[in-house]
Amino acid sequence: MFLIDIVALLMVVIGLVFFVAGTLGLLRFTDDLTRLHALTKADNLGLGFVLLGMTLLFFNLLVMLKLLLIWVLVIISAATVSHVIGQRAYKQLLHRSESQDDHR
């Protein structure tokens, strides 16, 4: 095994650790907004490390550009979906607090 293979394997393993941490955050946290925060941050970093490791393994310009495009599209879509889910969770939280105020 060459040094570049070891570094690539290390990057992929670090990425997988971030994926596992994001999944544990999704399962352990109690409210929607903290779950969303843990999941999006860890998954974006995890994907970045996995793709960096793959880039080191397949040292080809076309493959690198494809992997970069995948990462950019995932970041944009994750940000958009997280914003929509966060907005909905925040509105539900406000609605619950208003309904509790009405019952007092």
Side-chain angles (χ1 to χ4, degrees):
M1 241 180 162
F2 294 109
L3 181 64
I4 196 91
D5 294 333
I6 294 171
V7 172
L9 179 66
L10 183 66
M11 292 294 139
V12 171
V13 169
I14 290 172
L16 293 177
V17 168
F18 274 106
F19 280 132
V20 169
T23 304
L24 288 176
L26 178 69
L27 297 174
R28 298 265 314 164
F29 289 133
T30 55
D31 63 309
D32 296 334
L33 296 177
T34 54
R35 286 179 178 177
L36 187 64
H37 175 75
L39 188 63
T40 55
K41 297 298 179 190
D43 280 354
N44 283 333
L45 275 174
L47 181 63
F49 277 112
V50 168
L51 293 182
L52 181 62
M54 304 250 323
T55 302
L56 292 174
L57 284 178
F58 305 108
F59 204 71
N60 182 353
L61 182 63
L62 187 59
V63 172
M64 287 181 189
L65 290 176
K66 286 179 184 178
L67 292 175
L68 181 66
L69 179 65
I70 289 170
W71 194 30
V72 168
L73 290 175
V74 167
I75 287 176
I76 290 171
S77 64
T80 305
V81 169
S82 298
H83 179 73
V84 170
I85 292 172
Q87 234 179 1
R88 180 70 177 158
Y90 183 70
K91 286 179 183 177
Q92 285 179 346
L93 183 67
L94 285 178
H95 181 65
R96 271 189 261 150
S97 67
E98 287 175 357
S99 66
Q100 287 177 353
D101 289 340
D102 291 342
H103 287 98
R104 288 183 184 182

